[in-house]
Amino acid sequence: MMIDPSVIAVPLQISQRVLIALTSISGLILVAVGLSVIFGLMGVINLSHGALMMLGAYMAFSVQSAGLPPWLGLIAAPIAVGIIGILIESGIIKRLYDRPLDTLLATWGVAIILREGVNLIYGTDSKSVDSLIGGDITLIGVTYPAYWLFIILAAVVVLLLVVGVFKYTDIGIMAIAVIEDRQMAAASGINTVWSDRLTFAFGSALAGLSGAIMAPLLSVNSDMGLNWLVNSFLVVIVGGVGSFIGTAAGGVLIGGLDNTFRALTDFTSLAQAVVLLVAFIIIRYRPDGLIPAKQGGE
Amino acid sequence: MARDIKRQCPSDSEESIKSLRDKFTRRNFVQAAGASAAVSMAGCLGNGGGSGSSSGFTFGALFATSGSVEVIGRPMMNSVELAVDQINADGGVNGEEINLVKRDNGSDPATGIEESRSLINDENADIVFGAYSSAMRDAITDTFVTNEVPLWYPTLYEGSVCEAIGEDIVVPRENLEWLFFNGAVPKQQISPYIPWLVDNLDVETFYLIGNDYIWPRTTNTILKDFISENGGEVVGENYVPLGFTDWGSELQDIRNTNPDIVYFTTVGDTQVSMIQQAAELGLTGEMEWAGNIMSEQEARAAGDGADGIYNSAPYFINLDSEENNQYIGSYRDEYGDDTTPNFVSEAAYWGVQMVVQAIEEADDVSTPTDIRDALESDITLQAPQGEVQMDPGTHHCALQSRVGEYNADSEQFEIQKEFGQIEPSGISVQANCLE
């Protein structure tokens, strides 16, 4: 019996599109989750988030060009960018916790310094980073790049890791305590200075890790983070400031709508404009985002 | 004359008095102030002779050395500087050294306008080489037209006309009198390229993908005519915003449409991520990919994925000519491997040479207006790309046209075809527009 090829073609195209949308959503969540820590939890309007992500991509490039095993980039990037996060926090941010609006200007300054620093060290030409995993995987009849599946997996793992850290580890619970009630936390013997510092470093390390993971799909240069900075704020704000599940929901909604509109039209610029319009409407009716953080503790 | 009004002569002379006051005794000061006032007045009353009497010409360079197009701006700035340094080392223009003033436009049109005014009014620039994006050129053009100083624009672009040319092709009407161009316009890249692609790659169905702004849209409008004239067919078309890098859905559209060739007019990071992701999805192997705005920089950034992609350009960095070896060799000596020269930096380089040649070939050039007049002749020179010639009727240049295919191993475009020199006028540039 002959099977009409077009009968198979349609479901195949749909599964391919679902996978592509999942990779796209995962990229958004991966990059946004670091901002979700620094902006969502700590309230620092971190305009250097894109630059920190960019540093992570450059770490992956450095590891590759030094001839080291490429997966080392996934370890080196969060460590190096986390250390830079400690320096940024102890040098600048710690003075500005009472002045959230000033963090906007200060972190933008940090971003410019990081971008120009990278230009001085690496030059302005864009770099190319190879995928950690080459080749394709055939899944439910669809051939898909292995690395694009890895990105989906990485987003799930990172999200679980972050939720786990702040829910189940002492250091994470202390960090939440400091953010909720600084004086009370200090009175109970928590070192609030180091708690802030480590939380900021953790958010930075996540940004760095996301840069290293996304680098093979992107043109690696000092400006690469700008676009991701904007998208990350969109995801965090639409999802709900201060909530990781919110960030995930924001990523699924923004990325999902984006990919759906793009698949339905053949004019990507317009499709993306419509997504922004939807985001405006959501913020208008749910100013705290899709899944806001719980107020007043549990 | 409008230019003189903007020169703020009184404050100029006040400033020079202030600085002199520190250096001179009271009596000397009176003499010096008198002299300086006289010089300033002479500057004001002269007909805008930027550099004044004996200090030689002042060339301005206004490119992005910071911001989003820094990566392109730097080699352009370097190349203008390199050309000026070489001319000065060789005795300058008419025996006088050129004074080069470099300014960063920050990839931001508002900054570009500020810096243009400053180059004209504070530095008395006689000609300025500048701008990369069409938005930047558009923003600063007025400043040069009102002040009657020539602006040299060394970038490939959509073309510009004196009078509107129908509704189909969107080409900006501009006051071309003070503008000179030596980058390629669509006709110079596309007219021989499309028939070549159709014949040599045996392609018929085209998918057009571009960034959503004037250059890709104008290029694609022109492209469509050439595609249908040559028996091809456009089966898909899409535009993505600048800065776009998440290509999955668009590439799936292309896969479903299954064209013989994807013709891209995406730029910068958008182009690089497109090629990388198309390669991951296997699309670069399934169909041909070609464009006319991929330089060695983008190709190298895209890595192995760019292998086998075709590009049409007046210039590739590995051309074997005496002029090119000299350009690339001296560029590397001076700036190392920090930035890669490309087809726009090459144009910036010989643009300076062409201006200098025009000044030397004409008699008695001293003001910006004289330079404009001197450039309005068919100056010919051997550029790194080969022979080029100014077309006085359009202020554009006749350029070389060739096709390269990228080889990821050698990180170079291998020349596949030479089309020779092509006139700028015909499609988006009107012949004799300025006569």
Side-chain angles (χ1 to χ4, degrees), chain A residues 13 16-17 20 24 119 123-126 128 131 145 148 217-219 221 223 227 262-263 266-269 272, chain B residues 67 70-71 74 212 217 237-241 243 246 248 250 252-253 269 276-277 280 297 301 338-340:
Chain A
Q13 281 180 14
Q16 181 97 23
R17 283 210 185 272
I20 281 171
S24 167
N119 283 340
T124 49
D125 279 4
S126 295
S128 170
S131 286
W148 292 35
L217 272 64
L218 302 171
S219 174
N221 59 51
D223 276 318
N227 207 26
R262 279 156 60 198
D266 52 3
F267 186 9
T268 300
S269 292
Q272 296 206 310
Chain B
E70 172 182 359
V71 62
R74 282 220 214 178
D212 199 11
R217 283 189 174 268
E237 186 176 4
N238 191 2
Y239 295 93
V240 302
D246 174 32
E250 287 66 24
Q252 185 62 27
D253 282 341
D269 292 354
Q276 282 172 317
Q277 295 173 32
E280 289 246 338
Q297 279 176 318
D338 174 34
T339 56
T340 314

Side-chain angles (χ1 to χ4, degrees), chain B residues 218-233:
Chain B
T218 307
T219 302
N220 282 348
T221 312
I222 296 167
L223 210 52
K224 283 181 201 164
D225 281 349
F226 277 97
I227 289 170
S228 62
E229 268 172 33
N230 288 283
E233 186 195 352

Side-chain angles (χ1 to χ4, degrees), chain B residues 412-429:
Chain B
Q412 307 283 359
F413 282 93
E414 284 164 6
I415 310 294
Q416 300 295 313
K417 179 71 185 170
E418 299 271 359
F419 299 119
Q421 202 185 58
I422 297 185
E423 289 291 326
S425 58
I427 300 173
S428 60
V429 173

Side-chain angles (χ1 to χ4, degrees), chain A residues 17 20 258-259 261-263 265-269 271-272, chain B residues 207 209 238-241 244-257 274 277 281 283 289:
Chain A
R17 283 210 185 272
I20 281 171
D258 190 39
N259 278 277
F261 289 149
R262 279 156 60 198
T265 66
D266 52 3
F267 186 9
T268 300
S269 292
Q272 296 206 310
Chain B
Y207 194 105
I209 182 106
N238 191 2
Y239 295 93
V240 302
F244 180 83
T245 55
D246 174 32
W247 277 99
S249 181
E250 287 66 24
L251 293 170
Q252 185 62 27
D253 282 341
I254 292 174
R255 168 168 275 155
N256 295 346
T257 312
M274 175 186 76
Q277 295 173 32
L281 289 172
L283 282 174
W289 290 69

